[in-house]
């Protein structure tokens, strides 16, 4: 049994990402994995970055909830849309508020090094996009994937990161979306 955190990174409750996350979670639970779900749409995220100078201030309750779920999981699954070459602003704000020094990483006293405090975990990204996957990979070179693997998740020690990209969404029909949902459920069986 694997402890899995499924984070739906779409700011609306009713979305393709939400449906994909639900099907992934269903597949994981059916296979006997312990699944914890958090939806971005349910969190009161403030887009203002945290005050890093206020080191003794307790985190907001939603931040503590997400940190506890991250600390408890072995696999973090992020299901999100690709918007303007990046993630929704609220999901980036979640990373800024949750992946804090002392929880996700710790700078060393000397030099430029740091300790990755979330090591021992791996990630799966399930992304949707209006652009065809081949265009994002071969023409643009996966900029968001590189950023998440190296500068966000990898910086904190979460590695490796598997990626599944569904698209183009805007021209997809019901049959295509049904195949994507079935694929997400299959991925959930072996997170």
């Amino acid at each position: 049994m694997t402890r899995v955190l499924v984070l739906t990174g779409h700011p609306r409750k009713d979305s393709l990402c939400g449906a994909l996350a639900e099907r992934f979670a269903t597949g994981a639970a059916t296979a006997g994995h312990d699944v914890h779900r958090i939806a971005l749409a349910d969190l009161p995220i403030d887009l203002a970055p945290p005050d890093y100078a206020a080191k003794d201030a307790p985190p907001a309750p939603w931040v503590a909830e997400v940190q506890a779920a991250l600390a408890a999981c072995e696999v973090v699954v992020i299901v999100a849309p690709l918007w303007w070459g990046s993630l929704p602003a609220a999901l980036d704000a979640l990373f800024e508020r949750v992946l804090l020094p002392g929880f996700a990483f710790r700078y060393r006293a000397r030099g430029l090094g740091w300790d990755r405090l979330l090591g021992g975990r791996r990630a799966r990204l399930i992304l949707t996009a209006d652009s065809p996957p081949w265009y994002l990979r071969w023409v643009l070179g996966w900029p968001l994937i590189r950023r998440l693997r190296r500068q966000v998740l990898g910086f904190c020690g979460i590695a490796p990161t598997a990626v599944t990209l569904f698209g183009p969404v805007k021209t997809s029909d019901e049959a295509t979306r049904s195949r994507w949902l079935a694929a997400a459920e299959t991925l959930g069986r072996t997170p």
Side-chain angles (χ1 to χ4, degrees):
M1 175 185 74
T2 303
R3 294 181 314 276
V4 182
L5 168 60
V6 178
L7 173 60
T8 306
H10 198 293
R12 287 194 318 266
K13 290 180 187 248
D14 185 23
S15 68
L16 175 59
C17 288
L20 290 165
E22 182 63 32
R23 289 292 290 273
F24 185 97
T26 297
T30 301
H33 302 291
D34 180 17
V35 180
H36 185 86
R37 300 174 197 168
I38 295 178
L40 185 69
D42 295 333
L43 301 175
I45 295 176
D46 180 357
L47 295 181
D51 180 5
Y52 292 113
K55 294 179 182 174
D56 295 331
W62 73 266
V63 172
E65 174 193 354
V66 176
Q67 286 179 336
L70 269 172
C73 79
E74 297 169 88
V75 178
V76 58
V77 179
I78 301 170
V79 185
L82 177 65
W83 287 351
W84 292 104
S86 190
L87 299 171
L91 184 54
D92 272 332
L94 179 141
F95 292 148
E96 291 174 1
R97 299 289 304 274
V98 171
L99 301 177
L100 297 173
F103 170 72
F105 65 94
R106 180 178 39 248
Y107 288 118
R108 295 186 183 142
R110 294 182 178 205
L112 298 175
W114 70 96
D115 297 317
R116 295 167 173 89
L117 301 180
L118 294 178
R121 291 161 187 79
R122 54 190 160 80
R124 170 168 294 282
L125 303 174
I126 299 175
L127 302 173
T128 62
D130 282 337
S131 300
W134 64 264
Y135 179 79
L136 295 169
R137 180 175 186 175
W138 299 110
V139 176
L140 299 180
W142 292 120
L144 175 63
I145 305 305
R146 286 195 328 269
R147 176 182 162 243
L148 290 171
R149 278 183 173 156
R150 297 176 187 169
Q151 295 175 285
V152 179
L153 301 171
F155 186 88
C156 302
I158 301 172
T161 300
V163 179
T164 302
L165 180 62
F166 295 116
V169 173
K170 69 179 179 177
T171 59
S172 66
D173 57 18
E174 202 59 41
T176 300
R177 290 179 184 214
S178 291
R179 283 193 305 274
W180 293 345
L181 292 168
E185 188 168 339
T186 299
L187 289 171
R189 292 187 190 116
T190 55

Tab-separated table of all heavy atoms in Angstrom, residues 9-11 14 16 40 49-50 59 65 70 78-79 81 92 95 112-113 120 132 138 141 150 168-169 178:
chain	number	residue	atom	x	y	z
A	9	GLY	N	-5.122	20.798	-8.944
A	9	GLY	CA	-4.582	22.146	-9.063
A	9	GLY	C	-5.350	23.061	-9.985
A	9	GLY	O	-4.774	23.969	-10.568
A	10	HIS	N	-6.647	22.843	-10.133
A	10	HIS	CA	-7.492	23.728	-10.934
A	10	HIS	C	-8.298	24.595	-9.983
A	10	HIS	O	-8.850	24.102	-9.011
A	10	HIS	CB	-8.425	22.912	-11.830
A	10	HIS	CG	-9.005	23.695	-12.964
A	10	HIS	ND1	-9.895	24.716	-12.773
A	10	HIS	CD2	-8.819	23.605	-14.294
A	10	HIS	CE1	-10.241	25.228	-13.940
A	10	HIS	NE2	-9.591	24.570	-14.887
A	11	PRO	N	-8.384	25.906	-10.213
A	11	PRO	CA	-9.099	26.782	-9.281
A	11	PRO	C	-10.622	26.650	-9.306
A	11	PRO	O	-11.287	27.214	-8.438
A	11	PRO	CB	-8.658	28.189	-9.689
A	11	PRO	CG	-8.164	28.065	-11.075
A	11	PRO	CD	-7.689	26.658	-11.258
A	14	ASP	N	-15.545	22.368	-10.820
A	14	ASP	CA	-16.051	21.567	-11.921
A	14	ASP	C	-15.130	21.746	-13.121
A	14	ASP	O	-15.254	22.711	-13.872
A	14	ASP	CB	-17.477	22.000	-12.265
A	14	ASP	CG	-18.096	21.117	-13.320
A	14	ASP	OD1	-17.651	19.970	-13.468
A	14	ASP	OD2	-19.030	21.575	-14.004
A	16	LEU	N	-12.176	19.525	-16.005
A	16	LEU	CA	-11.605	18.273	-16.489
A	16	LEU	C	-10.522	17.790	-15.525
A	16	LEU	O	-10.420	16.598	-15.239
A	16	LEU	CB	-11.044	18.460	-17.898
A	16	LEU	CG	-10.305	17.264	-18.500
A	16	LEU	CD1	-11.198	16.030	-18.580
A	16	LEU	CD2	-9.746	17.626	-19.872
A	40	LEU	N	-7.481	22.499	-4.847
A	40	LEU	CA	-7.128	23.914	-4.827
A	40	LEU	C	-8.375	24.778	-4.673
A	40	LEU	O	-8.368	25.781	-3.949
A	40	LEU	CB	-6.391	24.260	-6.122
A	40	LEU	CG	-5.827	25.657	-6.280
A	40	LEU	CD1	-4.659	25.865	-5.328
A	40	LEU	CD2	-5.360	25.873	-7.715
A	49	PRO	N	2.533	36.612	-1.259
A	49	PRO	CA	3.521	35.659	-0.757
A	49	PRO	C	3.648	35.756	0.758
A	49	PRO	O	3.314	36.782	1.354
A	49	PRO	CB	4.811	36.082	-1.456
A	49	PRO	CG	4.607	37.501	-1.827
A	49	PRO	CD	3.130	37.684	-2.045
A	50	PRO	N	4.136	34.699	1.402
A	50	PRO	CA	4.275	34.716	2.854
A	50	PRO	C	5.366	35.696	3.283
A	50	PRO	O	6.261	36.043	2.521
A	50	PRO	CB	4.669	33.275	3.192
A	50	PRO	CG	5.300	32.764	1.945
A	50	PRO	CD	4.606	33.443	0.810
A	59	PRO	N	1.618	28.841	10.579
A	59	PRO	CA	1.048	28.873	9.238
A	59	PRO	C	-0.484	28.894	9.296
A	59	PRO	O	-1.081	28.475	10.289
A	59	PRO	CB	1.553	27.577	8.598
A	59	PRO	CG	1.813	26.671	9.744
A	59	PRO	CD	2.236	27.558	10.888
A	65	GLU	N	-2.536	22.015	6.830
A	65	GLU	CA	-3.194	20.824	6.298
A	65	GLU	C	-2.425	20.259	5.103
A	65	GLU	O	-2.176	19.056	5.014
A	65	GLU	CB	-4.625	21.147	5.870
A	65	GLU	CG	-5.324	19.994	5.177
A	65	GLU	CD	-6.612	20.377	4.473
A	65	GLU	OE1	-7.069	21.525	4.600
A	65	GLU	OE2	-7.156	19.509	3.761
A	70	LEU	N	1.500	16.415	2.711
A	70	LEU	CA	2.771	16.200	2.006
A	70	LEU	C	3.730	15.379	2.855
A	70	LEU	O	4.413	14.483	2.350
A	70	LEU	CB	3.423	17.531	1.659
A	70	LEU	CG	3.090	18.127	0.307
A	70	LEU	CD1	3.654	19.529	0.199
A	70	LEU	CD2	3.623	17.261	-0.810
A	78	ILE	N	-0.120	15.725	-8.824
A	78	ILE	CA	-0.651	17.065	-9.084
A	78	ILE	C	-1.352	17.029	-10.432
A	78	ILE	O	-0.740	16.705	-11.451
A	78	ILE	CB	0.472	18.115	-9.085
A	78	ILE	CG1	1.195	18.116	-7.736
A	78	ILE	CG2	-0.087	19.502	-9.411
A	78	ILE	CD1	2.467	18.943	-7.711
A	79	VAL	N	-2.642	17.332	-10.410
A	79	VAL	CA	-3.445	17.351	-11.631
A	79	VAL	C	-3.815	18.805	-11.883
A	79	VAL	O	-4.526	19.415	-11.081
A	79	VAL	CB	-4.709	16.488	-11.491
A	79	VAL	CG1	-5.461	16.423	-12.812
A	79	VAL	CG2	-4.371	15.087	-10.986
A	81	PRO	N	-4.100	22.299	-15.000
A	81	PRO	CA	-4.072	22.759	-16.385
A	81	PRO	C	-2.801	23.553	-16.672
A	81	PRO	O	-2.210	24.156	-15.769
A	81	PRO	CB	-5.296	23.672	-16.465
A	81	PRO	CG	-5.420	24.244	-15.084
A	81	PRO	CD	-4.951	23.147	-14.153
A	92	ASP	N	0.560	28.127	-8.058
A	92	ASP	CA	1.892	28.657	-7.749
A	92	ASP	C	1.904	29.288	-6.360
A	92	ASP	O	2.883	29.157	-5.616
A	92	ASP	CB	2.329	29.677	-8.801
A	92	ASP	CG	3.037	29.026	-9.978
A	92	ASP	OD1	3.649	27.954	-9.791
A	92	ASP	OD2	2.988	29.592	-11.077
A	95	PHE	N	2.326	26.630	-3.782
A	95	PHE	CA	3.725	26.234	-3.628
A	95	PHE	C	4.482	27.245	-2.770
A	95	PHE	O	5.265	26.873	-1.902
A	95	PHE	CB	4.411	26.102	-4.986
A	95	PHE	CG	3.915	24.968	-5.842
A	95	PHE	CD1	3.913	25.081	-7.218
A	95	PHE	CD2	3.439	23.792	-5.285
A	95	PHE	CE1	3.470	24.044	-8.026
A	95	PHE	CE2	2.983	22.748	-6.073
A	95	PHE	CZ	3.004	22.882	-7.449
A	112	LEU	N	26.218	27.919	-0.903
A	112	LEU	CA	24.945	28.036	-1.593
A	112	LEU	C	24.107	26.762	-1.513
A	112	LEU	O	23.065	26.671	-2.155
A	112	LEU	CB	25.186	28.378	-3.068
A	112	LEU	CG	25.886	29.709	-3.327
A	112	LEU	CD1	26.165	29.880	-4.815
A	112	LEU	CD2	25.052	30.863	-2.804
A	113	GLY	N	24.539	25.785	-0.757
A	113	GLY	CA	23.832	24.508	-0.689
A	113	GLY	C	22.573	24.552	0.157
A	113	GLY	O	22.330	25.494	0.914
A	120	GLY	N	12.627	11.211	-0.477
A	120	GLY	CA	11.945	9.952	-0.242
A	120	GLY	C	10.543	9.914	-0.826
A	120	GLY	O	9.838	8.919	-0.680
A	132	PRO	N	-1.069	20.849	-28.447
A	132	PRO	CA	-0.762	19.424	-28.589
A	132	PRO	C	0.492	19.068	-27.794
A	132	PRO	O	1.449	19.854	-27.749
A	132	PRO	CB	-0.514	19.250	-30.088
A	132	PRO	CG	-1.052	20.474	-30.743
A	132	PRO	CD	-1.005	21.569	-29.721
A	138	TRP	N	8.473	19.121	-28.286
A	138	TRP	CA	9.498	19.241	-29.316
A	138	TRP	C	9.752	20.681	-29.778
A	138	TRP	O	10.856	20.993	-30.205
A	138	TRP	CB	9.162	18.354	-30.512
A	138	TRP	CG	9.108	16.922	-30.097
A	138	TRP	CD1	7.998	16.132	-30.019
A	138	TRP	CD2	10.198	16.118	-29.643
A	138	TRP	NE1	8.331	14.879	-29.561
A	138	TRP	CE2	9.686	14.839	-29.323
A	138	TRP	CE3	11.567	16.343	-29.489
A	138	TRP	CZ2	10.473	13.805	-28.859
A	138	TRP	CZ3	12.351	15.306	-29.020
A	138	TRP	CH2	11.808	14.063	-28.713
A	141	GLY	N	10.079	22.622	-25.712
A	141	GLY	CA	11.068	21.979	-24.840
A	141	GLY	C	10.613	21.756	-23.413
A	141	GLY	O	11.444	21.745	-22.507
A	150	ARG	N	12.837	20.470	-11.586
A	150	ARG	CA	14.110	20.962	-11.052
A	150	ARG	C	13.962	22.048	-9.997
A	150	ARG	O	14.662	22.029	-8.990
A	150	ARG	CB	14.971	21.491	-12.198
A	150	ARG	CG	15.350	20.433	-13.197
A	150	ARG	CD	16.114	21.020	-14.349
A	150	ARG	NE	16.340	20.027	-15.391
A	150	ARG	CZ	16.786	20.315	-16.582
A	150	ARG	NH1	17.084	21.556	-16.911
A	150	ARG	NH2	16.965	19.370	-17.470
A	168	PRO	N	-4.756	18.161	-27.251
A	168	PRO	CA	-5.345	19.451	-26.920
A	168	PRO	C	-6.787	19.310	-26.404
A	168	PRO	O	-7.591	18.602	-26.998
A	168	PRO	CB	-5.302	20.227	-28.225
A	168	PRO	CG	-5.222	19.206	-29.305
A	168	PRO	CD	-4.594	17.983	-28.694
A	169	VAL	N	-7.066	19.979	-25.299
A	169	VAL	CA	-8.379	19.910	-24.660
A	169	VAL	C	-9.430	20.609	-25.509
A	169	VAL	O	-10.541	20.109	-25.680
A	169	VAL	CB	-8.325	20.506	-23.236
A	169	VAL	CG1	-9.718	20.592	-22.627
A	169	VAL	CG2	-7.403	19.689	-22.350
A	178	SER	N	-13.178	10.637	-22.443
A	178	SER	CA	-13.437	9.356	-21.758
A	178	SER	C	-12.176	8.499	-21.731
A	178	SER	O	-11.885	7.852	-20.721
A	178	SER	CB	-14.567	8.592	-22.452
A	178	SER	OG	-15.787	9.266	-22.261
